[in-house]
Amino acid sequence: KDVDNNCEITIEELVDSEDTTESFRPNPNYPLSNRYPVEKVSWGDAQEFVTKLSAGTNKKYRLLSEAEWEYVARADTKTKYPCGNVGSCLRKVGWYVANSNSRTHPVGGKEPNGFGLYDLQGNVSEWVEDCWSINYINLPTDGSAWNGGDCSLRVIRGGSWDSEPRFMRSAFRDRETADVRNFFSGFRIARDLDERELKASNTNQPKQVALVAPSTPAMTSPAKPAVSNRPNQLNLSELVDKVETLE
């Protein structure tokens, strides 16, 4: 089964994956529907999912790099949050400690960001591809993932249903042990566009990022450098040419 939405990977999408093991299935203390984001998955579980999805669809799915994640999370904004600089604005765009009632919620229930993507702030934190680095010094400047350093720790972004606003900033970074499973963590995936799709979406604009909304054709947005509140920020001016982001 293909994945064609713009939200976090859901329970339905994960359990539909061939040979899904029981360890993939969340086990929270409240009832869930298939539209809830999957949780209690490790970085390794996410990698297994994209490997199977790629094999089953003959398309290249993967986790986003940390640079890609921050680019789509900001959606051309320069504020602390995609909705502004005041933490209370998060009520419009995400589920967090102030409004979640200590639980996840079905994906897509809040307003999308400027790229039409949902739940980048809150609901569940999202694994990305990168190994953990304490800062951005000597990390790739082309938007690709960092695969050096301590790869027993992997980067996780976005904050969760249990996060305070300061942990929901677009620039906030965190890490977890790659094999940990908890009720705070899920993931979002990207698909590399093939040559035919790249040619069809070529508008002679510099550096495009292709995004998908649930019932509309693929849309493109020029890639611009993300602005971070942190020193040693990533230079995203050489962001990957084309990715399709799916959560």
Side-chain angles (χ1 to χ4, degrees):
K1 181 178 178 178
D2 206 347
V3 176
D4 60 357
N5 62 65
N6 58 349
C7 299
E8 289 165 332
I9 293 298
T10 63
I11 295 169
E12 178 182 25
E13 289 159 345
L14 193 64
V15 300
D16 278 349
S17 178
E18 184 180 0
D19 296 329
T20 296
T21 63
E22 197 64 30
S23 64
F24 273 22
R25 299 172 186 267
N27 184 32
N29 295 318
Y30 51 88
L32 295 175
S33 74
N34 283 342
R35 294 302 297 163
Y36 279 73
V38 70
E39 55 192 83
K40 199 183 175 186
V41 287
S42 68
W43 183 88
D45 293 335
Q47 293 292 339
E48 183 177 347
F49 175 79
V50 295
T51 298
K52 290 181 178 179
L53 183 62
S54 296
T57 61
N58 199 30
K59 299 175 181 178
K60 175 58 177 176
Y61 289 94
R62 57 179 174 79
L63 294 181
L64 280 71
S65 71
E66 184 177 14
E68 291 168 343
W69 188 96
E70 185 165 333
Y71 173 76
V72 297
R74 287 188 177 279
D76 285 342
T77 63
K78 298 180 181 180
T79 47
K80 288 182 181 179
Y81 316 105
C83 52
N85 284 314
V86 180
S88 58
C89 78
L90 290 167
R91 290 180 177 271
K92 299 187 300 183
V93 299
W95 299 104
Y96 66 117
V97 68
N99 66 354
S100 70
N101 196 27
S102 301
R103 56 182 290 177
T104 58
H105 293 263
V107 299
K110 292 293 186 178
E111 294 179 9
N113 71 6
F115 286 169
L117 301 177
Y118 296 86
D119 300 308
L120 279 143
Q121 271 70 28
N123 221 3
V124 290
S125 299
E126 300 175 10
W127 291 108
V128 297
E129 182 69 27
D130 299 57
C131 304
W132 172 250
S133 175
I134 197 169
N135 56 41
Y136 291 139
I137 296 174
N138 297 325
L139 266 61
T141 59
D142 62 355
S144 61
W146 167 245
N147 288 311
D150 184 1
C151 289
S152 67
L153 298 174
R154 294 285 177 168
V155 178
I156 198 161
R157 299 292 298 257
S160 76
W161 55 265
D162 194 45
S163 295
E164 298 176 5
R166 61 193 174 116
F167 301 122
M168 306 274 284
R169 294 180 297 113
S170 298
F172 182 77
R173 310 171 66 234
D174 205 354
R175 73 279 191 194
E176 290 279 8
T177 306
D179 60 358
V180 72
R181 297 185 177 112
N182 58 45
F183 297 130
F184 309 104
S185 303
F187 62 103
R188 181 181 302 264
I189 64 176
R191 180 171 68 85
D192 292 331
L193 303 187
D194 60 32
E195 290 300 320
R196 176 185 57 81
E197 292 170 306
L198 288 173
K199 184 177 180 180
S201 62
N202 181 22
T203 60
N204 297 319
Q205 297 184 30
K207 299 295 180 183
Q208 299 282 315
V209 174
L211 307 173
V212 169
S215 58
T216 61
M219 52 188 175
T220 59
S221 174
K224 299 178 181 178
V227 177
S228 174
N229 297 328
R230 303 163 56 84
N232 306 314
Q233 69 187 55
L234 278 174
N235 174 6
L236 298 188
S237 61
E238 295 300 321
L239 189 66
V240 292
D241 286 343
K242 301 285 183 178
V243 292
E244 175 183 70
T245 63
L246 308 156
E247 189 183 30

